[in-house]
Structure formats: C-alpha cells, structure tokens
Amino acid sequence: MANFKELRTQNISKGILSHTYSDNKPFIDLTSPALEMINNFTQQDPLRAHYETSIVEALKKITNQHTDFILVVDDNKKLLGVVSSADLQSSKTMILAQRLNVARNDVSLRHVMTPLSNLTGVSMQSLSYACIGDALQTMEHRGVMFLLVTASNNEICGLLSAREISKKLQVPLHISPIANTFSEVMEQIDHPH
C-alpha cells in the first residue's frame, strides 16, 4: 500500500442520506478510479433497517438483496450506523447475546452496528481524484471497514466497503479496528480478532 496516499476524511456524524439509480461496473484494479467502487445512493437505494430489527431478520434482508451492508436508521429514517454482513455472522453476536442475557435471535442491529460517530466520511470531490488503492489505504489507516461518501452539502450519498473491494479485486485486507472507547479496548483484549 506504499504507492497510495491517504484521503482527507471528514466528520459525517450529522450527515443525512441522499437518494437513487444503477449501472454495470467494468473490470477494475487498485489503480482504477475510486468512483468505480462507490455504492452510490443516488443510483441505487441502499438497504436500510430500523435499529430494533433483529440480526436474524437483517441477515435475511442482506442475503436477499445481495449486499454487503445495511444502513441502520431510527423511527424518522435518520442514519444511526452501518452493519456489515460479516458483523451479522460474526461470533461476536453470540458474545453479545450472552452479555445481554438474551437469545441470539433477540440481538438487534443497535447492538452490533458501527455508530455514525465511529464512521469516517470522505467527500465525493476527494474521491474523484483518488484511486481505489487510496480509499483502501485510508480505510486501513483509520481502522474502518467503510468510508461514507458525502456530497458538497455534507449529505451522505454513498459508501465504499473494504470487504467489497477485497472480494471484487481479490486483494487481502489488513484492517484492524481502532478502539474508540475504554469498553472497546477491553473487548479487543477479551476477544481479539
């Protein structure tokens, strides 16, 4: 990853989702434009689910929609966070169920999501000058699996997924989550990846 630069990121904690459309993606590699890998919410409506949706139901939705992630929203459709399909299938869900003293089926998205405050944003303008390797380098450096993409008005209009990039380009991921709170530090110690 030494050949790539890290993108300038931005705070997206007050971001709102934008709207939708669809197209086919050509053959790409790490030097291809980053715009090629964006899940553009103005071209295709992203999968969303209420924060109280069970992880079992969310996994069914992700499987049916053939997507890698689900956006977690509140009663007013405000974005709260993101959950990956890997998060829903992870052994962490059983650990969470045990901690909450509930059945695994009763664990909801709010328990497993990465909250908006822990996500990283990058502007569409920055991505227009970047390659996929730059985006992946940024995710590796920040310890995040997703980059939320923002329009000029700070509206969240897309998402880049490290897992999608890895899967599509057949490149390994070297992303270690960065703990943001003391409880996350303790969780890393108790249950390292």
Side-chain angles (χ1 to χ4, degrees):
M1 299 304 300
N3 298 334
F4 302 107
K5 64 185 183 300
E6 182 176 346
L7 300 174
R8 185 176 55 184
T9 60
Q10 61 190 75
N11 180 342
I12 45 83
S13 61
K14 294 198 173 28
I16 56 172
L17 291 172
S18 75
H19 296 283
T20 15
Y21 165 62
S22 160
D23 70 359
N24 294 332
K25 311 260 192 255
F27 174 77
I28 55 175
D29 64 16
L30 285 173
T31 62
S32 299
L35 298 176
E36 295 289 328
M37 283 301 298
I38 293 176
N39 291 281
N40 191 325
F41 301 161
T42 63
Q43 296 177 350
Q44 184 171 353
D45 202 21
L47 179 60
R48 303 168 202 210
H50 190 268
Y51 67 94
E52 289 297 343
T53 303
S54 77
I55 60 171
V56 173
E57 185 60 33
L59 190 55
K60 285 180 193 171
K61 288 181 178 196
I62 279 181
T63 303
N64 290 340
Q65 297 280 326
H66 305 290
T67 184
D68 181 51
F69 65 92
I70 190 165
L71 301 179
V72 182
V73 296
D74 66 10
D75 295 329
N76 299 316
K77 308 257 189 263
K78 180 179 182 274
L79 182 63
L80 299 177
V82 179
V83 175
S84 72
S85 58
D87 293 334
L88 296 173
Q89 299 172 69
S90 158
S91 61
K92 286 184 179 182
T93 58
M94 285 304 297
I95 295 164
L96 262 171
Q98 289 171 348
R99 277 192 193 154
L100 297 168
N101 200 26
V102 297
R104 180 182 178 275
N105 294 354
D106 294 331
V107 175
S108 64
L109 290 180
R110 70 185 166 103
H111 297 114
V112 296
M113 73 177 186
T114 301
L116 197 57
S117 59
N118 291 358
L119 291 166
T120 301
V122 67
S123 73
M124 184 71 80
Q125 182 178 6
S126 291
L127 286 174
S128 68
Y129 301 107
C131 64
I132 295 168
D134 297 333
L136 199 53
Q137 173 67 22
T138 303
M139 288 186 261
E140 286 182 4
H141 183 261
R142 297 279 176 167
V144 295
M145 297 304 290
F146 299 106
L147 285 178
L148 293 180
V149 181
T150 60
S152 58
N153 58 359
N154 208 32
E155 185 177 68
I156 297 169
C157 61
L159 175 145
L160 281 163
S161 165
R163 280 189 188 89
E164 282 183 12
I165 292 170
S166 173
K167 193 161 110 180
K168 183 156 189 158
L169 303 185
Q170 310 237 329
V171 295
L173 285 181
H174 304 288
I175 298 177
S176 298
I178 297 172
N180 295 304
T181 64
F182 180 72
S183 64
E184 288 174 359
V185 170
M186 294 309 293
E187 187 174 312
Q188 291 295 323
I189 293 168
D190 288 345
H191 307 287
H193 291 249

